[in-house]
Amino acid sequence: MSTLTSLFRYVLLFAVSSEFLAVILALMVFYVYKHRSHAIGSRLRPDLKQPKGVFPILGHLPLLASVPSSGLYQFFEKQYNELGPVWTITLPIFGRIIQIDSAENVEHVLKTNSYNFEKGGAFKGILQDLLGTEGMNLNEGEKWRFVRSLTSRVFNTKAYREYTSDIFVTESRKVINYLDKASSQGTVVDFQALMLYFTLDCLGSTLFGETFGCLENIEHGVAFGVSLDELLETCTKRLINPLWKIQERMTSVDKKVKHDRQSLRNHVLEIIEKRRKDGNHAHRKDFLQFFLDSEDNKSQPLSDDLLIDNMLTFTTAGRDTTAHALTWMFYLIYRDDSDESIRATLVREVDDVLGGSIPTHETLKNLKFAEACFYEALRIFPPVPRNLRYCVKEDILPDGTKVYAGEWVAWSSYVMGRSESVWGPDAKEFRPSRWINSVKPSLGKFNSFGLGPRACPGQHHATIQVLTVIGMILQHFDVKLEEPSKVPTYATSLAFPMVDGLKIRVSRRQL
């Protein structure tokens, strides 16, 4: 009897277990079938085109993982050419991303209905260690409007414009001194690294009233710049890795993030505390002083977190974008297959306008061709090659594409800048003349500085900075690329750096 009882229990347990396993297996099959053409966490969208290579549950994650980092934007360009301006991918956790590479769609998202498209919680989480929680770039609503208002007032102040113009000249002189030494010694210069030092020192003075000392310590770098580079690299990797939180904990990257984050914040906080301790600052015209003299909506001094987060936001936004734009511009002008007449026109304009003198805010306005070269470089190699927004409420784009709440829209300035349907048959040519005496392109078409309420408030500031250093370099030196036939490899980043920098040689001009 006991044997029969044991056998009965065994059979019953086996039946229950088998039934349980069958249910689990059935659920798994159902779930895989349900998500056979899109990632978990996204809805089925048969109305949208998508690249081949989608995996059940994982969506397009394996496909993106197979694309080399140095070919990511060519991948997006390939999809644009094959699928058109609107197509989609899905990623686990992140959800659906709809690519919307047309001027009309971009203008709708950034201007016409901008308040329906936010940065999104996932995007904020990726950048929060770098930009904090109170920074202008990661906030919406009243927080964003308050800081945006303060920022716009600073940039529109005549005293600040004059102050920054003097700083750009001062830091450009240091660049000239470094290049003069390189010319005398016949050494190769990494122009990208030099421009990163230049822009960071300019930001140190314009934001904090004191330089970081990069141009005085080029051979060894400075701790602030190193921490900023490392944290930027980590945040960049997060953008293409939906499982970054798990991976960082498993590899101890999170400890390095905490160290770099604290290093940056402590540096800024020390400057703030020193400024408060020193007392009278009526003579100061930098960004930090303007913020310290301001009050919040409750008539209270601005908090340390708000000050730190926004100073780091402005530093991050202003350093890499401008430095990389300058680097790509010099590559386009001096590479082997560039039009020599562009170089000649640029140098001639610098000589005619500046006449060997130090640039001023007024004389720089007449460097029209230099400005055209800068904007043309931004068109072909935009400092932020891809961007995205989170849809809050269901919306319909100008071309009829439906976007559901919770989905993302993305656009690539890199892809649009190379599109013949956007820029014409010469879209891939470096042709600064397209910016001279012609109708300005719509901001949806040329969106390197953004548009709408969140357009970059520092566009004029960045342009003057670029024209200052260009003018001073070209007055003194002839420039040659060390490898003029080499096409630089770019790195996947929040900005658009060259992997190996841009090696140049300079020689004193024979005037």
Side-chain angles (χ1 to χ4, degrees):
M1 184 71 178
S2 60
T3 303
L4 289 175
T5 302
S6 298
L7 181 63
F8 177 76
R9 287 176 179 172
Y10 174 78
V11 172
L12 181 63
L13 181 62
F14 177 79
V16 171
S17 299
S18 298
E19 184 177 325
F20 177 73
L21 289 174
V23 170
I24 294 298
L25 182 61
L27 286 173
M28 289 176 63
V29 170
F30 170 75
Y31 219 73
V32 169
Y33 178 79
K34 181 182 178 182
H35 293 89
R36 64 190 181 279
S37 60
H38 58 106
I40 185 173
S42 63
R43 71 163 68 201
L44 183 65
R45 290 293 303 269
D47 56 314
L48 296 176
K49 298 176 183 178
Q50 63 179 8
K52 296 177 181 178
V54 63
F55 278 67
I57 307 294
L58 298 177
H60 293 91
L61 180 60
L63 176 63
L64 285 182
S66 71
V67 178
S69 59
S70 59
L72 185 62
Y73 300 115
Q74 284 92 333
F75 167 80
F76 290 124
E77 186 179 9
K78 180 176 181 288
Q79 304 312 315
Y80 175 91
N81 292 332
E82 293 179 356
L83 304 175
V86 176
W87 52 277
T88 185
I89 60 172
T90 59
L91 299 173
I93 303 174
F94 208 79
R96 182 173 297 281
I97 306 171
I98 304 172
Q99 200 71 23
I100 58 163
D101 292 325
S102 75
E104 295 76 18
N105 285 343
V106 172
E107 187 163 344
H108 177 84
V109 168
L110 292 182
K111 184 179 179 182
T112 308
N113 202 21
S114 63
Y115 294 104
N116 191 43
F117 294 91
E118 299 182 346
K119 292 295 178 91
F123 191 72
K124 293 175 183 178
I126 287 170
L127 296 178
Q128 190 168 298
D129 285 310
L130 178 62
L131 305 181
T133 59
E134 301 293 321
M136 180 174 70
N137 280 8
L138 296 186
N139 273 296
E140 314 288 344
E142 189 55 41
K143 273 189 178 181
W144 168 78
R145 279 190 289 271
F146 174 75
V147 179
R148 172 72 185 206
S149 175
L150 287 181
T151 304
S152 297
R153 282 158 55 193
V154 178
F155 278 122
N156 291 325
T157 302
K158 182 180 178 181
Y160 181 75
R161 290 199 301 267
E162 293 173 348
Y163 168 68
T164 53
S165 293
D166 291 341
I167 287 171
F168 297 155
V169 169
T170 299
E171 299 304 325
S172 293
R173 281 197 178 108
K174 297 176 186 177
V175 171
I176 299 304
N177 292 338
Y178 181 78
L179 292 177
D180 197 34
K181 182 179 178 181
S183 174
S184 299
Q185 297 176 348
T187 54
V188 175
V189 173
D190 183 349
F191 189 71
Q192 177 172 263
L194 182 61
M195 290 300 97
L196 284 167
Y197 294 140
F198 166 71
T199 53
L200 187 55
D201 274 354
C202 285
L203 286 162
S205 295
T206 58
L207 292 176
F208 305 107
E210 57 184 70
T211 177
F212 287 105
C214 300
L215 290 170
E216 287 89 356
N217 200 23
I218 287 179
E219 305 304 325
H220 304 287
V222 296
F224 186 92
V226 172
S227 293
L228 183 59
D229 285 336
E230 291 176 346
L231 202 48
L232 271 169
E233 183 179 356
T234 300
C235 290
T236 294
K237 291 177 180 177
R238 292 173 176 178
L239 286 171
I240 53 176
N241 181 10
L243 304 177
W244 63 268
K245 289 184 179 180
I246 298 173
Q247 186 176 15
E248 286 184 14
R249 290 193 183 100
M250 292 176 64
T251 57
S252 299
V253 171
D254 59 334
K255 294 180 181 178
K256 181 61 178 170
V257 167
K258 289 177 182 177
H259 173 270
D260 289 331
R261 179 180 183 274
Q262 205 57 48
S263 175
L264 294 175
R265 299 183 72 81
N266 286 345
H267 185 94
V268 177
L269 182 59
E270 286 175 11
I271 296 174
I272 292 171
E273 291 177 341
K274 181 176 182 296
R275 183 72 62 87
R276 286 172 173 156
K277 183 179 178 181
D278 287 347
N280 181 27
H281 303 292
H283 63 289
R284 290 191 175 273
K285 302 172 185 176
D286 53 75
F287 238 93
L288 176 60
Q289 192 57 48
F290 184 88
F291 271 61
L292 285 170
D293 292 338
S294 301
E295 295 179 336
D296 62 19
N297 293 330
K298 297 180 180 179
S299 299
Q300 297 297 313
L302 304 185
S303 69
D304 285 349
D305 280 341
L306 188 145
L307 291 170
I308 294 170
D309 290 353
N310 282 288
M311 293 304 112
L312 288 175
T313 294
F314 301 143
T315 302
T316 305
R319 186 192 72 152
D320 291 54
T321 52
T322 305
H324 295 153
L326 275 161
T327 305
W328 285 109
M329 176 182 166
F330 268 59
Y331 162 71
L332 289 167
I333 292 171
Y334 291 102
R335 60 183 177 172
D336 259 352
D337 57 351
S338 62
D339 186 344
E340 291 186 9
S341 67
I342 293 176
R343 292 197 293 270
T345 302
L346 178 59
V347 173
R348 185 168 57 250
E349 180 186 70
V350 167
D351 289 344
D352 292 344
V353 172
L354 301 181
S357 301
I358 295 299
T360 66
H361 194 273
E362 292 305 313
T363 58
L364 290 173
K365 294 178 182 178
N366 295 318
L367 290 181
K368 300 297 183 183
F369 191 76
E371 182 177 6
C373 289
F374 175 48
Y375 283 2
E376 182 70 347
L378 288 173
R379 182 185 70 82
I380 299 175
F381 292 106
V384 182
R386 190 165 183 261
N387 218 322
L388 73 167
R389 290 289 188 276
Y390 179 81
C391 182
V392 178
K393 296 180 181 179
E394 183 178 317
D395 197 7
I396 297 178
L397 303 181
D399 65 359
T401 301
K402 182 175 284 188
V403 184
Y404 292 101
E407 294 181 331
W408 296 80
V409 295
W411 63 98
S412 172
S413 301
Y414 177 93
V415 171
M416 293 177 67
R418 286 163 166 70
S419 169
E420 292 186 4
S421 64
V422 176
W423 288 96
D426 62 351
K428 294 185 179 181
E429 295 179 22
F430 180 66
R431 191 169 66 80
S433 59
R434 76 175 80 240
W435 298 88
I436 304 294
N437 299 324
S438 60
V439 178
K440 288 185 177 180
S442 71
L443 293 178
K445 180 177 176 178
F446 177 69
N447 50 69
S448 291
F449 290 103
L451 65 150
R454 299 190 82 116
C456 174
Q459 177 176 350
H460 179 74
H461 174 90
T463 303
I464 293 298
Q465 182 182 15
V466 166
L467 295 180
T468 300
V469 73
I470 288 173
M472 293 182 68
I473 289 174
L474 296 184
Q475 280 189 101
H476 292 87
F477 301 101
D478 291 319
V479 179
K480 289 185 179 180
L481 299 188
E482 180 71 358
E483 298 178 277
S485 60
K486 178 183 177 181
V487 178
T489 302
Y490 63 79
T492 302
S493 174
L494 293 172
F496 203 27
M498 297 179 184
V499 171
D500 300 316
L502 184 69
K503 306 304 189 293
I504 67 169
R505 289 183 185 271
V506 296
S507 57
R508 272 283 179 179
R509 286 182 62 189
Q510 302 299 316
L511 301 176

